[in-house]
Amino acid sequence: MKNKILLKTNLSICLVIVVGFLLTAVLSYRINYHSSIQNIVQVSDLASEGVYYQMNTALSKPVNISQTMANNSLLKTLLAREAAHSDDPAYIGTMQKHLLTYQQKYAYDSVFLVSAASNRYYNFNGLDRVLAPGNAEDAWYFDDFLPSAAEYSMNVDNDQVAGAEDAITLFVNCKIWEGDTLLGVVGVGVRIDHLQKALQSYQDSFDVSAYFVDDAGVIQLAASRSGYERVNLREQAGYSAAICDSILGWRESEAASGFWSFDGAGRKQDYFVTRYLPDIGWHLVVERDTGALMAALQRQLKLSIAVIVAIIAIILLVITRVIRGFDRRIAAMARANEQERQTLFEKATGQLFDDIYEIDITHNRPSDQVTEAYFARLGAPPGTPYDQALHMIAEKQIKPEFRQGYLDTFSPAHVLRAFDEGAESLRYEFMIANDGQSYYWMRITARLLVAEGDGSLHMMIYRQNIDEEKRREQKMQLLARTDEMTGLLNKTATQRAIEERLAQNPEGPHAFFIFDIDRFKDANDRFGHAYGDNVIRDFADILRTHFRRDDLLGRIGGDEFVAFLPIPSTAWAADKARELTAALDRDHTEGESVWHMTASIGVAFAPQDGAAFAELYRRADTALYVSKKRGRHRFTLYQKELENGGGTRQ
């Protein structure tokens, strides 16, 4: 009888253990699965952000350098003289020397120029070859770039110049214009292996695939392939139409779009993050393949089941000897496991977040003593409703311009409405100060969940200091908009900023100034390019001192600058141009080297001379041309008569 009772007891305990272990294994699998999915999203988003800012900076610089070369007056002069000196070795040597100067200054693998008149291809080693229509190797020039309306483009191709050994290179091509006449194409090339190594480092560090595609879906740059291979997302790469549309359809600047692909059973398969780089027209794609992860989780589940079976077999053999102490040991193990999990959780969350609080949204109150103590430190007595404490926090800690957004995001009414609409989390980034003065960036991520006990809605609040991240992001944005030599806006940023100002205030009035350093080539020829660079910096510093802080200043060419500002009258603008003409009339001295600097200025006005950047630039440039034609060192205000060679000098 005793044996039957013991057998029954053993079987009952074994059954309970089997069920318990199986449930634990299944729940552990699900928890690991969801945790892994969240980790994939966070790591992929972080990797995409890093790739975006590093590669955007790396790719924007050669574009800016190529645009600077396209506006170089010496290159334009050399192209205009080509027909008369095409067979002159001295002419070819001058062209080679100028291109070599850029190559040595910026250390690019290729610096080239193509004449539109002769189709000659020059590089820093001299005349390399003559491009021919119908030659497949020259299709980038005749078939792709020349017929397009784009002022510049990027393409991946083999470098055919002597000594380059057909190395795969990322080329930036920029058109050179003299008025409405196309003189040629100039640009630089970067060996693609340098960029591929950067992408490979992200793949190794984050276990993701990162690559760039153009609007046609062709993979232009990846760790193991390039645009030279013409691999298309839809055709060779095998992506579905939905995935391709999601990638190529996203065009929000500086924002990311994340989405999952699904298998035939509707399970999450691969995670994608895409970003758009408007300055170069490429899409960044960061992809995480979850196949290996899912296989590992399934192996872990099978291993857990196998371990359970082994444990049960052992228990059946020894249960008689350990039955009396079993309950005590199980209880002790449960407590130890719970303490260990709690310790690991607190350690992990402590590394990620500054503070964690919990709010009972349904009952408008703190959910625990830690949250209530936090409210008390800010002057909210125990029992203060959450919505009142929220206003106290906003009033005492949040920077004024962020307060309303903070209240609107985390008010009980908004949280309940967001949860009803299907939201699982809320996020808000703002500036906060513990002392009311020293503000820093903070991110709050709020997770919404329903309490099992009474079904009330709770909000877990995770506070994270992101001040360093924000400052790094702002610095990267500034670098992408700034001319490296002068600290002024670069050409692309200048045009974009002026267009924004015109859209905000189309009635004006505004003045559009173009400045050109007179005989700047003489400074370079006499004293060298380093001296010439310092002349440009000196010129930019003088402009800064004569304009207001909110006026737009940019460098749009080698020695060409632009200013755009609101004005009270055209007479005021004329006085300003006269003042600048005098201020820029000075000697630039370095040691014993002295060069007299002057400037020619052209001025157009919005809205009477144009309502867009292109119109104002063309008319101010017309006035600038008149200033130079009349002897330089002067300014001219645009008048319609100038288009026909008339008008009066200002």
Side-chain angles (χ1 to χ4, degrees):
M1 184 68 179
K2 184 177 180 180
N3 291 336
K4 289 184 179 180
I5 294 174
L6 184 58
L7 178 60
K8 239 185 232 190
T9 303
N10 291 345
L11 291 176
S12 299
I13 292 174
C14 288
L15 179 61
V16 171
I17 293 173
V18 169
V19 173
F21 271 109
L22 286 176
L23 288 175
T24 301
V26 172
L27 289 175
S28 176
Y29 172 80
R30 294 184 63 84
I31 291 172
N32 288 338
Y33 173 79
H34 290 296
S35 175
S36 299
I37 291 297
Q38 291 177 355
N39 178 262
I40 286 171
V41 172
Q42 293 172 355
V43 170
S44 300
D45 290 345
L46 180 64
S48 76
E49 184 176 351
V51 175
Y52 174 82
Y53 286 115
Q54 179 179 352
M55 300 301 286
N56 192 33
T57 300
L59 296 175
S60 296
K61 183 175 180 180
V63 172
N64 293 335
I65 298 303
S66 298
Q67 290 176 331
T68 299
M69 294 172 64
N71 288 279
N72 187 291
S73 57
L74 176 59
L75 283 180
K76 293 182 179 181
T77 301
L78 287 172
L79 286 173
R81 295 170 49 210
E82 183 189 41
H85 301 275
S86 60
D87 296 327
D88 185 355
Y91 171 83
I92 296 175
T94 301
M95 183 72 78
Q96 174 193 0
K97 179 181 178 182
H98 197 70
L99 296 178
L100 182 61
T101 298
Y102 277 98
Q103 193 276 332
Q104 292 174 340
K105 182 175 182 179
Y106 298 105
Y108 286 120
D109 299 294
S110 175
V111 179
F112 66 91
L113 181 145
V114 181
S115 168
S118 68
N119 296 331
R120 285 184 164 195
Y121 188 101
Y122 300 91
N123 75 340
F124 56 79
N125 291 323
L127 175 61
D128 185 73
R129 62 187 185 277
V130 178
L131 305 187
N135 185 343
E137 295 289 351
D138 300 332
W140 67 271
Y141 177 73
F142 293 103
D143 301 336
D144 298 336
F145 188 44
L146 285 187
S148 73
E151 289 300 313
Y152 68 89
S153 71
M154 302 179 73
N155 72 294
V156 179
D157 206 344
N158 60 316
D159 193 348
Q160 300 177 61
V161 301
E165 299 180 350
D166 282 335
I168 302 303
T169 304
L170 174 64
F171 290 98
V172 178
N173 314 301
C174 191
K175 294 178 180 176
I176 306 175
W177 295 93
E178 183 66 53
D180 294 331
T181 301
L182 178 65
L183 298 181
V185 174
V186 71
V188 300
V190 181
R191 294 290 184 261
I192 204 167
D193 55 352
H194 303 311
L195 303 175
Q196 289 177 320
K197 287 179 181 177
L199 292 179
Q200 185 65 52
S201 69
Y202 278 94
Q203 294 189 183
D204 296 339
S205 300
F206 295 95
D207 194 23
V208 297
S209 297
Y211 49 91
F212 291 86
V213 300
D214 61 19
D215 286 336
V218 176
I219 299 177
Q220 290 290 348
L221 178 60
S224 59
R225 60 176 50 148
S226 68
Y228 184 69
E229 301 161 11
R230 304 299 294 177
V231 175
N232 191 285
L233 287 180
R234 299 181 189 272
E235 299 166 4
Q236 292 90 346
Y239 288 100
S240 68
I243 293 176
C244 294
D245 292 342
S246 297
I247 292 173
L248 301 180
W250 183 257
R251 292 181 176 274
E252 294 292 332
S253 176
E254 300 184 4
S257 172
F259 61 92
W260 286 93
S261 65
F262 298 88
D263 60 16
R267 294 186 295 264
K268 292 179 179 177
Q269 190 171 24
D270 296 325
Y271 184 68
F272 294 84
V273 183
T274 181
R275 291 175 178 266
Y276 184 62
L277 286 73
D279 290 340
I280 61 176
W282 284 3
H283 303 262
L284 166 64
V285 182
V286 172
E287 177 185 353
R288 174 67 185 272
D289 183 355
T290 63
L293 174 65
M294 294 301 105
L297 289 176
Q298 290 174 1
R299 286 195 301 271
Q300 182 181 357
L301 178 62
K302 293 177 181 178
L303 179 61
S304 299
I305 295 174
V307 170
I308 291 171
V309 172
I311 291 174
I312 296 303
I314 295 173
I315 289 175
L316 288 173
L317 294 174
V318 301
I319 192 66
T320 304
R321 299 176 57 185
V322 299
I323 190 66
R324 292 182 179 88
F326 190 74
D327 289 338
R328 292 193 300 272
R329 291 161 63 186
I330 287 295
M333 290 173 60
R335 286 194 299 272
N337 288 338
E338 180 62 28
Q339 290 174 356
E340 183 179 359
R341 284 196 296 269
Q342 184 66 26
T343 301
L344 290 174
F345 174 78
E346 291 175 355
K347 182 178 180 181
T349 54
Q351 292 174 346
L352 289 173
F353 305 104
D354 297 344
D355 302 290
I356 302 175
Y357 302 112
E358 183 175 355
I359 305 295
D360 184 344
I361 294 296
T362 301
H363 299 100
N364 194 26
R365 67 190 181 193
S367 291
D368 53 35
Q369 294 180 350
V370 174
T371 305
E372 192 166 306
Y374 170 64
F375 289 165
R377 290 199 300 271
L378 297 174
T384 301
Y386 161 65
D387 58 348
Q388 295 181 20
L390 189 70
H391 279 80
M392 292 180 182
I393 295 173
E395 192 67 30
K396 290 188 176 183
Q397 291 190 315
I398 310 301
K399 198 171 185 180
E401 56 262 40
F402 296 99
R403 286 176 186 167
Q404 193 59 49
Y406 176 81
L407 293 171
D408 291 344
T409 302
F410 300 113
S411 68
H414 178 262
V415 173
L416 289 168
R417 184 168 60 253
F419 183 75
D420 290 339
E421 293 173 355
E424 296 180 353
S425 64
L426 301 172
R427 176 179 288 189
Y428 188 64
E429 296 178 356
F430 56 94
M431 298 195 77
I432 187 172
N434 296 324
D435 57 2
Q437 296 179 341
S438 303
Y439 287 100
Y440 62 93
W441 279 98
M442 170 74 70
R443 175 187 295 135
I444 284 185
T445 302
R447 305 293 182 187
L448 308 182
L449 50 92
V450 176
E452 294 182 0
D454 58 1
S456 59
L457 179 63
H458 283 228
M459 179 169 67
M460 298 294 298
I461 297 175
Y462 302 87
R463 291 158 49 100
Q464 186 178 9
N465 187 327
I466 59 169
D467 198 61
E468 184 178 349
E469 173 188 331
K470 277 289 186 181
R471 296 185 188 281
R472 185 168 60 251
E473 176 184 323
Q474 291 168 355
K475 182 179 179 181
M476 294 297 292
Q477 292 174 350
L478 178 63
L479 288 174
R481 299 176 65 246
T482 303
D483 174 64
E484 184 177 0
M485 182 181 296
T486 63
L488 304 180
L489 294 176
N490 58 35
K491 181 177 181 180
T492 301
T494 299
Q495 180 173 349
R496 189 175 298 165
I498 291 176
E499 293 286 6
E500 289 175 357
R501 291 279 179 94
L502 289 169
Q504 292 168 359
N505 185 12
E507 300 301 323
H510 295 92
F512 187 106
F513 289 75
I514 290 185
F515 304 87
D516 191 88
I517 304 176
D518 293 330
R519 299 182 179 89
F520 177 67
K521 179 178 176 297
D522 178 60
N524 278 332
D525 291 344
R526 290 176 59 191
F527 303 113
H529 287 280
Y531 184 94
D533 290 347
N534 288 331
V535 170
I536 288 176
R537 294 187 186 97
D538 189 19
F539 192 92
D541 290 341
I542 295 171
L543 291 182
R544 280 195 191 91
T545 62
H546 286 269
F547 285 97
R548 297 162 295 195
R549 182 174 183 179
D550 292 335
D551 295 339
L552 294 177
L553 292 174
R555 180 186 178 206
I556 63 172
D559 58 345
E560 192 170 65
F561 298 78
V562 160
F564 184 78
L565 60 152
I567 58 171
S569 65
T570 55
W572 184 92
D575 290 340
K576 173 61 71 172
R578 188 175 293 107
E579 169 192 322
L580 288 162
T581 302
L584 295 167
D585 181 8
R586 54 170 288 173
D587 288 336
H588 180 83
T589 303
E590 292 184 24
E592 297 181 357
S593 301
V594 181
W595 184 76
H596 189 72
M597 177 175 68
T598 63
S600 297
I601 305 173
V603 188
F605 300 96
Q608 60 263 41
D609 296 333
F613 175 89
E615 295 177 286
L616 292 170
Y617 175 86
R618 183 173 64 82
R619 287 170 176 166
D621 192 54
T622 298
L624 173 67
Y625 175 77
V626 172
S627 295
K628 286 190 169 292
K629 185 177 180 182
R630 290 172 172 168
R632 300 182 175 86
H633 186 208
R634 67 195 64 224
F635 70 93
T636 303
L637 304 183
Y638 176 80
Q639 302 174 30
K640 290 185 178 179
E641 292 83 357
L642 295 178
E643 300 285 356
N644 300 316
T648 59
R649 184 180 66 192
Q650 300 292 324

